[in-house]
Amino acid sequence: MTKFFEPPISDSAIQFWDSTRERRLVLPWCAACEHPFWYPREVCPRCLGGPVEWREASGSGEVHAVSVQHRPGPMRDPAAGPYAVALVDLAEGVRIMTNIVGCEPDAATVGMAVRVTWEPLADGRHLAQFEPA
Amino acid sequence: MSDRTLRGLTAIVGVADDVSPTGELERHGRRLEAAMVSEALADAGLTLADVDGICYAGMATGLAEYLGVHPRYVDGTMVGGSSYELHLEHAAAAIAAGLCEVVVSVYAATPRSDRRRGAGGQRGGPAFGGPNPMAEWEMPYGLAMPMGAYALAASRHMACYGTTSEQLAQIAVDTRRWAAMNPRARFRDPITIADVLASPMQASPLHLLDCCLVTDGAGAFVVTSAERAGDLAKPPIYVLGAATGSDHQMISQMPDLTTTAGARSGPAAFAMAGIKPDEVDLLMAYDSFTITALLHLEDLGFCPKGEGGAFAEDGKLGPGGSLPTNTNGGGLSYTHPGQYGMFLLVEAVRQLRGECGSRQVIDPQIGVAHGSGGVLSTMGTIVLGTGSTR
């Protein structure tokens, strides 16, 4: 099992992390300007308003940029070998950082269609990762 | 909008830096900072009693207290590597507005010797104050920092514009050619494109030799009014243009991975200076990674967006080239203690004064120091000129 840096839970992302316990990917939307945004925060970064609503995401996206890490990042096990970190453009229009799994790291390329998959964390939450669609 | 400008109103009158080919320095901490302040003031022909402004990328009052300075101008701007370009911009504005007259900015970090001392260095700790969304939204994915962030930018640039690893490597090769002429550079042996491509992959597409060093290093500059600058020890190097651009902190929030905020700060600083890119005799472009320098070439307008790789591949950035760039050997081969922007200014001043010995560029009149802080987050562009340009 891959070792992960356990993400903290900020006050503005409790619902996001709770949803991952059920392997559901939700995104924060501003109810006032009808846009999703990333990362979760107390107010909308377009209008500084809200309220913030949580809406189900399709889980589909496209690789925007990708880098295979040969020197392990925070908390990663050097023995686990290289792995792919990517920025993925979700169908809803936000860009998130993630890992590309389910293929060789070097097979992950810019423009590749991907879909969400879930990696369990020790506390019952899951980390959203993406695999070739 | 007013038509007020900072052009030619202030000048850098003193510089100092301390770097060693071993990558380590004997002095560290406040003692090293104090030495840099003393040396920069001596370079200017000024004393501590003349100083009424302090810039420091952190708690500036702690430094002022240590030095025994009671400043009337204090700037603690901390935006990473470009902090010193922002310090100069802010100091120039403050001096021009009459808030102060002689401002010192100083930097020292010893991450390499700190390891030996067991002090832990400056790496690995929290990079920024306040809430840390990076821990929640980036760190779980294991992006190796900082190189992974720059690797993502390189990945996107390659996918959009066909930029190659060979083109990026050429930047490292040319920077090393400059370093070969700098006795204090950490690495001076020539390298080839093949050497860069054969060096261990760090975060694809970046190899080890695409990445900057980790060394000790320190430096300082002194800036004052143009009026006062005329009476001092060295020829004044005038601040002709200065501008900042910032558009994110975390790499996943960068609006466009292929275009930095330098696309705003660069043209703004050049407009203030009244120059075009082809008038620049010397470019000090922050090279934390080869991709960093490449993005600056495009964003500052030396070539169109997407053509940085082709622009650099003929070696024009190296000795004898048409755009001498990073003539001290850069962050790639000279020094990189963490916030390298100080050294961009120090080298630009020394080149414009004609003090650079075998690596001296022939008769440069206009130099640009372009700092990049964070992960391509905050850009500070400074245009400097000799007395002939004022």
Side-chain angles (χ1 to χ4, degrees):
Chain A
M1 184 174 152
T2 310
K3 284 193 262 181
F4 291 96
F5 176 91
E6 293 270 338
I9 303 173
S10 58
D11 290 346
S12 54
I14 293 170
Q15 284 168 281
F16 174 86
W17 288 113
D18 279 348
S19 297
T20 72
R21 296 177 191 279
E22 303 159 8
R23 299 174 172 246
R24 288 172 47 237
L25 181 63
V26 297
L27 293 176
W29 284 67
C30 174
C33 62
E34 276 291 318
H35 276 97
F37 58 90
W38 192 256
Y39 49 95
R41 51 201 109 177
E42 286 80 359
V43 296
C44 164
R46 287 169 180 258
C47 68
L48 296 186
V52 176
E53 295 177 353
W54 293 92
R55 300 186 191 174
E56 202 87 16
S58 67
S60 295
E62 182 181 301
V63 175
H64 183 83
V66 60
S67 173
V68 178
Q69 309 300 291
H70 292 256
R71 285 176 55 141
M75 300 287 290
R76 295 284 180 138
D77 179 4
Y83 52 94
V85 180
L87 295 174
V88 165
D89 292 328
L90 297 183
E92 288 76 15
V94 297
R95 184 175 303 155
I96 70 172
M97 188 172 284
T98 188
N99 295 118
I100 304 298
V101 298
C103 63
E104 288 301 313
D106 284 322
T109 54
V110 174
M112 174 188 269
V114 291
R115 65 173 177 239
V116 71
T117 181
W118 296 97
E119 178 72 30
L121 295 171
D123 63 359
R125 290 183 290 160
H126 291 77
L127 202 59
Q129 304 199 306
F130 285 76
E131 60 188 10
Chain B
M1 287 289 287
S2 78
D3 59 358
R4 290 194 63 170
T5 173
L6 300 176
R7 190 184 196 286
L9 300 181
T10 61
I12 298 181
V13 293
V15 294
D17 74 347
D18 194 5
V19 168
S20 161
T22 64
E24 297 197 9
L25 299 177
E26 289 300 316
R27 299 174 295 196
H28 66 281
R30 285 277 185 251
R31 183 180 166 205
L32 180 55
E33 291 165 351
M36 292 299 98
V37 170
S38 292
E39 289 177 27
L41 286 168
D43 189 49
L46 290 167
T47 70
L48 204 55
D50 296 304
V51 175
D52 62 358
I54 291 280
C55 302
Y56 186 72
M59 197 67 172
T61 46
L63 174 70
E65 178 182 272
Y66 183 92
L67 296 174
V69 171
H70 302 162
R72 57 176 171 148
Y73 174 76
V74 176
D75 178 8
T77 299
M78 167 50 177
V79 294
S82 55
S83 297
Y84 308 93
E85 283 68 38
L86 272 63
H87 289 172
L88 179 55
E89 179 190 7
H90 301 170
I95 292 166
L99 303 184
C100 52
E101 192 172 13
V102 176
V103 179
V104 176
S105 172
V106 62
Y107 168 64
T110 50
R112 197 168 190 94
S113 57
D114 287 349
R115 291 177 192 161
R116 177 166 45 76
R117 278 190 294 272
Q122 298 208 340
R123 298 169 74 86
F128 305 99
N132 186 9
M134 189 181 288
E136 195 168 9
W137 309 116
E138 290 194 346
M139 286 171 65
Y141 303 100
L143 190 70
M145 289 294 280
M147 73 275 285
Y150 293 83
L152 288 169
S155 157
R156 187 68 190 171
H157 203 276
M158 287 178 164
C160 290
Y161 300 115
T163 306
T164 66
S165 290
E166 287 79 3
Q167 289 171 335
L168 289 174
Q170 184 66 47
I171 293 174
V173 168
D174 286 330
T175 308
R176 182 64 65 87
R177 291 169 63 213
W178 284 115
M181 295 187 283
N182 184 349
R184 295 193 303 165
R186 171 79 173 127
F187 291 126
R188 301 181 64 196
D189 293 339
I191 54 172
T192 64
I193 288 175
D195 291 334
V196 179
L197 300 190
S199 67
M201 189 69 86
Q202 304 294 295
S204 69
L206 300 179
H207 305 78
L208 182 63
L209 291 177
D210 287 299
C211 303
C212 65
L213 309 167
V214 178
T215 59
D216 296 356
F221 66 80
V222 184
V223 55
T224 190
S225 65
E227 291 73 25
R228 186 137 183 208
D231 300 330
L232 299 178
K234 295 278 181 74
I237 300 302
Y238 294 96
V239 178
L240 304 180
T244 294
S246 183
D247 61 9
H248 64 281
Q249 178 160 298
M250 298 193 293
I251 195 67
S252 58
Q253 296 288 309
M254 188 169 176
D256 175 352
L257 286 173
T258 66
T259 304
T260 73
R264 290 184 282 122
S265 70
F270 285 21
M272 183 185 286
I275 63 155
K276 296 194 161 45
D278 65 8
E279 295 173 72
V280 174
D281 301 315
L282 166 77
L283 175 62
M284 295 302 299
Y286 201 115
D287 57 339
S288 47
F289 299 87
T290 50
I291 183 66
T292 321
L294 184 147
L295 291 171
H296 299 331
L297 295 172
E298 298 175 353
D299 293 340
L300 295 179
F302 292 100
C303 63
K305 180 49 64 183
E307 296 181 15
F311 181 80
E313 72 184 351
D314 69 357
K316 68 167 65 65
L317 306 185
S322 59
L323 182 61
T325 298
N326 297 335
T327 54
N328 55 359
L332 293 171
S333 290
Y334 175 53
T335 191
H336 196 290
Q339 299 170 33
Y340 170 73
M342 175 61 76
F343 305 92
L344 302 171
L345 292 165
V346 170
E347 176 73 2
V349 167
R350 289 180 174 154
Q351 283 283 357
L352 292 170
R353 287 175 177 173
E355 295 176 340
C356 287
S358 62
R359 70 176 187 277
Q360 178 64 48
V361 173
I362 298 167
D363 199 27
Q365 302 300 315
I366 292 177
V368 169
H370 180 69
S372 172
V375 284
L376 297 169
S377 312
T378 303
M379 303 293 156
T381 312
I382 300 291
V383 182
L384 298 171
T386 62
S388 74
T389 64
R390 188 173 167 228

